[in-house]
Amino acid sequence: KAGVTQTPRYLIKTRGQQVTLSCSPISGHRSVSWYQQTPGQGLQFLFEYFSETQRNKGNFPGRFSGRQFSNSRSEMNVSTLELGDSALYLCASSLGLAEDTQYFGPGTRLTVL
Amino acid sequence: EDQVTQSPEALRLQEGESSSLNCSYTVSGLRGLFWYRQDPGKGPEFLFTLYSAGEEKEKERLKATLTKKESFLHITAPKPEDSATYLCAVQAGNYGGSQGNLIFGKGTKLSVKP
């Protein structure tokens, strides 16, 4: 069974630009969660989508947004990039039940210059 | 406030030298505790899920245990390929029917020297 895939793997952007990251979950998984990982803050939850609806959201500014499509694939968008947005963005998928294990993709490394 | 603390931050072992990593947590209603392994530049790789105090799970040289306040990841006779950052995460019980977010600790960076 194929794992979670994320594209692109690496991105370099400049301040003020916007970026879209993509995530394809494991086949059959309906929940997709996004996390930001930085050396200082560790892994922090951004949001979770289930059946095309945002079900939960972390404490990030409105510049961070996402969506989920009918095939469970998800995208996240960051507008007006700031230097502090440089991070590894991780996507995780699960079946969607409350205690299900989340399986992570390889991540997208975003560098903001 | 829900919180997860891992110790030590870093651990250096000789090959074959067994040890334990600690994950202490404060959450309102634990739904699950998860252990992941992360190699540099990669996404976390799932290891174990524990749901209730007293539960134990094993996989090769790793064994995870859970009490009401903490979890331990025991590493028996480690090998250099066990070198990685080990992450602990909890899922709290206050999200209704939703998946809820995982609350991660900062991790323990394990180095095993031959």
Side-chain angles (χ1 to χ4, degrees):
Chain A
K1 207 175 200 182
V4 178
T5 59
Q6 293 187 243
T7 56
R9 293 295 313 279
Y10 303 92
L11 267 177
I12 299 176
K13 293 285 186 179
T14 56
R15 280 183 302 172
Q17 288 187 310
Q18 75 167 16
V19 66
T20 299
L21 312 181
S22 180
C23 171
S24 292
I26 292 170
S27 178
H29 284 190
R30 297 171 64 191
S31 170
V32 173
S33 297
W34 289 89
Y35 293 82
Q36 180 195 66
Q37 186 175 31
T38 59
Q41 298 298 319
L43 270 146
Q44 292 185 290
F45 172 74
L46 282 157
F47 30 65
E48 182 222 353
Y49 285 87
F50 180 81
S51 292
E52 302 178 66
T53 301
Q54 187 181 89
R55 206 161 58 163
N56 201 0
K57 188 177 189 302
N59 294 322
F60 279 81
R63 299 185 297 107
F64 293 82
S65 63
R67 59 177 175 169
Q68 186 180 34
F69 302 95
S70 58
N71 62 358
S72 294
R73 190 177 70 84
S74 177
E75 290 181 346
M76 69 162 281
N77 183 276
V78 188
S79 62
T80 319
L81 284 166
E82 301 177 358
L83 295 179
D85 296 333
S86 294
L88 181 67
Y89 289 88
L90 293 159
C91 161
S93 79
S94 75
L95 291 171
L97 299 177
E99 295 85 10
D100 281 341
T101 297
Q102 295 183 34
Y103 295 90
F104 284 82
T108 294
R109 171 70 64 183
L110 172 64
T111 302
V112 182
L113 303 176
Chain B
E1 182 186 347
D2 299 333
Q3 197 168 359
V4 178
T5 303
Q6 290 188 248
S7 61
E9 290 185 14
L11 182 62
R12 292 186 177 185
L13 299 173
Q14 287 296 126
E15 184 172 2
E17 180 187 1
S18 300
S19 188
S20 297
L21 313 182
N22 177 263
C23 170
S24 62
Y25 60 90
T26 307
V27 293
S28 49
L30 179 71
R31 280 190 165 176
L33 184 140
F34 303 82
W35 282 98
Y36 290 88
R37 167 196 169 126
Q38 186 174 27
D39 293 299
K42 297 187 177 182
E45 175 190 345
F46 170 71
L47 294 173
F48 303 108
T49 307
L50 302 167
Y51 292 110
S52 56
E55 191 174 358
E56 300 183 351
K57 288 193 177 172
E58 284 188 73
K59 179 182 177 181
E60 297 180 354
R61 295 178 292 283
L62 300 177
K63 179 180 177 180
T65 62
L66 180 65
T67 72
K68 288 187 177 180
K69 293 186 177 180
E70 57 190 350
S71 176
F72 292 93
L73 184 65
H74 307 278
I75 303 177
T76 302
K79 297 182 178 182
E81 53 262 41
D82 294 323
S83 297
T85 295
Y86 290 84
L87 297 166
C88 169
V90 299
Q91 187 174 56
N94 54 347
Y95 294 105
S98 83
Q99 170 80 83
N101 58 292
L102 290 179
I103 303 163
F104 279 86
K106 294 290 179 69
T108 293
K109 185 174 182 179
L110 174 65
S111 299
V112 182
K113 302 299 181 185

